[in-house]
């Protein structure tokens, strides 16, 4: 295997290092705009595209552009693609898997979901023997770090976020993490693979943790509950629900006990029941190790994407219901607030779709609204 | 793939059902001594051995004999073997993997460790990209069920065991579970695969939970600790430690929160850090699903065992140390009892090998002794 590596940032340097260490393949080119002192460096994607001996392009530069242009050009040049870029794959899902199929190249993105956890390959494998009916979990280390620290140290959201930024767990602009968009892309990919569908980004309900307060967290704790932000996707008889929302879990449950910046992702399978995978959700080496695993799968002859089907569907978020915690000053939420609960209220049981619709109005009145589903 | 299925008990019937449902292979023979109403039934192993179209034998009858004779005969007849039998594989490890290699047949036993968790295949895969340095976890659902129920309901050991038996989680003779022997076989297989070695059964330190009392459990709880029985194997610079022992964990840790009859097994990998796998540790369908996964791996061309090396080594249990909780009336233990701790004492930090040697003497004096390692 001869590799063109796109990007020599945190993940790229890890991929480079692990591949060299294992002697698993040859990294012939490393594309980066910076002057980095390695002999494989090139600033020109054409070098990689024009070298017919390069059979695999590993894209770990992140972002939509030029990652999209480079990945599609690589496929069109007959090269297989491994990427860790959830934003890219979720955004251009239909096009990328169609192009890979058309060109007869492999396309893998295991490192895009769960960092060091081989989540998408675990789903792919489980599906050989059984149907998946649910998937859910902690899919973002930054927000788990913030929520864990708020709970354990009684920190405000702002302080917990600053600590996460100081430790390099959160970006300078943390929006993708704290607003749930990173998790949204991971849920989309997971649901697509698990259920052989292609879901639409704009249909997912996505609620983040930007507005959670230490008073919220304290009140949850007093009630024996721990707040985690979960990505979820359920399938029943062809109907798929998919969403991202803060969720209140029993404090002694396994998901509630996930520490620091770890991830814990679970599926429910027809025969095996609940299976969960815990590991580093991000970081140079865990993520890089999964990108290398994808390369090794390709070298071992793997040619397929994780699924051969991708039926475009509309989401059915009306099929899944929760009682919600809601704290808001919005008048439009008044009818929902049934029962006092800490600094906010609990709603009656309502569907995710109903909350999704309600939140559009509520947010227009009160941008500090915070909601969390109460796990059953 | 044409299969001869050995055993139509709990697991065997599950394998039969899943394979039929998926149309994944043909089950041509089912060997069982009973008269069961299925057309594939035979009482004669010769039928399977003599049919050259049978390429794979799936052994889910359990026990050492005649499983050993049947499995070796199958390999000698050029058939690949899939088994869920940890007792068999751990006992005849060197011989079975040598025979498989000699005959050029595949030999897989994923369902032998972790029930529905694809633990051995996860280890095998991780090792492609990185070194494993530690493995540890809850590997037995029966004892976890007993310990969870003792903690949550304040039950005595005897009552918790009876409940587990009534629910079918524990055998009429529960020794293999409660004395840690089932876990011992699982640790042996895990260590062998993770570290490319062959460890000797008689060298493992194995402490069970037969003598734990509700007073022990209550005292642990008051100190914020939860007792779980763990299987562990560590590797450092060629030295391997392996043991099974009750362990006191922080009550809010993930391992402490594993409920009912579930398993949670973790490894530490050089690059990915800690990775954990949670699922049903036993039961018809989870275990059967993993045996079917092994068959699917064979059908996809997998020919190897999980490792190509199996260096016979002596264990180095002197390299790993804990403080231990010890409750005993034995005089020989007096020097170890440093600090009162609930109904017993805590020792100073001592190696597993030291405790292993001490326990031989202590047990001769006091068969009701209970020990548990204090996790760091």
């Amino acid at each position: 295997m001869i590799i063109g590596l796109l990007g020599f940032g945190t993940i790229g340097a890890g991929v480079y290092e692990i591949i060299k260490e294992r002697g698993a393949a040859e990294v012939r080119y490393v594309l980066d705009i910076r002057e980095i002192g390695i002999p494989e460096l090139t600033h020109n994607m054409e070098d990689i595209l024009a070298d017919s001996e390069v059979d695999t392009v590993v894209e770990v530069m992140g972002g939509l552009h030029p990652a999209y242009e480079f990945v599609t050009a690589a496929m069109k040049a007959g090269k297989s693609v491994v990427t860790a870029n959830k934003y890219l794959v979720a955004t251009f899902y239909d096009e990328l898997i169609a192009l890979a199929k058309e060109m007869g190249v492999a396309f893998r993105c295991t490192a895009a979901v769960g960092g060091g956890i081989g989540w998408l390959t675990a789903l792919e494998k489980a599906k050989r023997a059984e149907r998946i009916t649910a998937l859910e979990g902690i899919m973002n280390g930054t927000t788990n770090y913030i929520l864990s620290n708020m709970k354990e140290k009684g920190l405000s959201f702002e302080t917990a976020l600053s600590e996460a930024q100081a430790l390099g767990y959160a970006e300078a602009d943390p929006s993708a993490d704290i607003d749930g968009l990173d998790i949204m892309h991971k849920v989309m990919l997971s649901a697509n693979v698990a259920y052989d569908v292609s879901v639409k980004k704009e249909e997912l309900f996505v609620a983040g943790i930007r507005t959670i307060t230490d008073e919220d967290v304290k009140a949850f704790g007093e009630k024996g509950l721990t707040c985690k932000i979960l990505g979820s996707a359920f399938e029943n008889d062809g109907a798929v629900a998919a969403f991202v929302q803060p969720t209140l879990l029993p404090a002694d449950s396994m998901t509630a006990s996930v520490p620091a910046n770890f991830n814990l992702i679970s599926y429910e399978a027809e025969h095996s029941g609940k299976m969960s995978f815990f590991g580093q959700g991000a970081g140079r080496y865990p993520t890089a190790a999964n990108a290398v695993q994808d390369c090794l799968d390709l070298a071992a002859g793997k040619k397929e994407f994780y699924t051969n089907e991708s039926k475009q569907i509309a989401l059915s978020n009306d099929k899944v219901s929760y009682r919600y915690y809601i704290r808001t000053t919005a008048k439009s939420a008044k009818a929902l607030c049934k029962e006092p609960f800490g600094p906010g209220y609990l709603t009656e049981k309502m569907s995710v779709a109903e909350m999704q619709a309600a939140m559009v109005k509520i947010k227009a009145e009160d941008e500090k609204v915070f909601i969390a589903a109460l796990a059953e």
Side-chain angles (χ1 to χ4, degrees), chain A:
Chain A
M1 172 174 281
I2 300 178
I3 290 173
L5 179 62
L6 313 190
F8 201 74
T10 303
I11 313 300
V15 170
Y16 180 86
E17 196 181 315
I18 296 174
I19 289 180
K20 293 243 161 176
E21 172 199 302
R22 305 299 283 196
E26 177 194 337
V27 178
R28 184 166 293 177
Y29 302 95
V30 175
L31 181 76
D32 203 288
I33 50 171
R34 298 165 302 173
E35 291 303 331
I36 42 177
I38 53 170
E40 301 89 347
L41 181 68
T42 173
H43 300 310
N44 189 355
M45 182 66 189
E46 288 305 320
D47 290 347
I48 298 171
L49 295 173
D51 187 336
S52 62
E53 286 179 14
V54 172
D55 48 53
T56 305
V57 162
V58 179
E59 186 275 304
V60 285
M61 53 202 302
L64 279 189
H65 304 283
Y68 166 80
E69 288 74 17
F70 289 173
V71 160
T72 50
M75 287 184 184
K76 285 174 185 163
K79 302 180 194 307
S80 290
V81 169
V82 168
T83 175
N85 190 334
K86 67 221 73 161
Y87 189 17
L88 174 73
V89 184
T91 304
F92 297 105
Y93 187 80
D94 295 329
E95 180 183 344
L96 291 175
I97 62 173
L99 181 58
K101 200 178 280 184
E102 182 195 333
M103 299 305 303
V105 298
F107 178 43
R108 309 288 288 181
C109 56
T110 307
V113 186
I117 300 172
W119 168 247
L120 292 179
T121 49
L123 278 181
E124 176 187 36
K125 184 170 183 187
K127 284 174 62 191
R128 301 191 310 185
E130 48 192 335
R131 204 168 68 88
I132 307 291
T133 57
L135 64 93
E136 184 162 84
I138 295 173
M139 302 185 180
N140 178 278
T142 307
T143 47
N144 196 62
Y145 184 85
I146 291 170
L147 291 172
S148 296
N149 259 358
M150 287 182 74
K151 168 152 187 157
E152 278 163 33
K153 303 187 192 160
L155 302 183
S156 70
F157 175 78
E158 291 71 20
T159 308
L161 172 60
S162 299
E163 281 195 9
Q165 286 170 323
L167 286 164
Y169 292 157
E171 308 280 335
D173 176 1
S175 304
D177 290 323
I178 66 177
D179 293 335
L181 303 175
D182 174 81
I183 306 174
M184 176 185 76
H185 292 127
K186 292 170 176 170
V187 170
M188 287 176 66
L189 288 180
S190 303
N192 286 354
V193 168
Y195 308 133
D196 302 320
V197 297
S198 172
V199 304
K200 291 182 196 70
K201 199 181 277 208
E202 60 276 14
E203 291 187 3
L204 271 82
F205 175 50
V206 181
I209 61 162
R210 187 189 282 271
T211 55
I212 193 171
T213 66
D214 40 349
E215 287 83 18
D216 292 327
V217 172
K218 192 165 162 241
F220 303 153
E222 285 166 1
K223 292 169 193 298
L225 298 169
T226 299
C227 183
K228 297 287 190 187
I229 180 164
L230 303 184
S232 310
F234 302 98
E235 192 273 345
N236 186 19
D237 215 8
V240 173
F243 43 90
V244 179
Q245 58 189 12
T247 305
L248 304 180
L249 302 151
D252 61 354
S253 65
M254 207 170 66
T255 304
S257 69
V258 171
N261 60 333
F262 281 88
N263 282 193
L264 174 74
I265 320 181
S266 306
Y267 63 71
E268 284 278 347
E270 196 180 2
H271 298 302
S272 298
K274 185 173 183 175
M275 294 288 309
S276 305
F277 302 82
F278 170 90
Q280 292 282 354
R284 168 174 294 186
Y285 293 112
T287 308
N290 252 333
V292 173
Q293 288 285 4
D294 279 351
C295 293
L296 295 170
D297 278 338
L298 262 53
K302 179 80 76 179
K303 270 289 177 198
E304 312 80 24
F305 189 63
Y306 307 88
T307 168
N308 279 316
E309 287 179 73
S310 59
K311 192 181 165 199
Q312 295 197 25
I313 56 155
L315 284 181
S316 304
N317 280 344
D318 55 323
K319 298 279 171 54
V320 180
S321 297
Y322 297 92
R323 295 193 76 182
Y324 281 92
Y325 169 78
I326 180 165
R327 177 187 41 70
T328 178
T329 55
K331 295 203 178 90
S332 64
K334 208 160 185 187
L336 297 177
C337 299
K338 289 298 175 189
E339 186 185 318
F341 195 90
Y345 289 86
L346 278 189
T347 70
E348 300 280 355
K349 205 162 182 179
M350 59 193 288
S351 75
V352 173
E354 285 168 331
M355 179 51 90
Q356 190 169 8
M359 279 293 272
V360 175
K361 289 185 200 167
I362 294 168
K363 275 189 166 170
E365 281 186 77
D366 172 20
E367 62 181 19
K368 293 204 180 301
V369 57
F370 177 73
I371 63 120
L374 185 65
E376 298 241 299

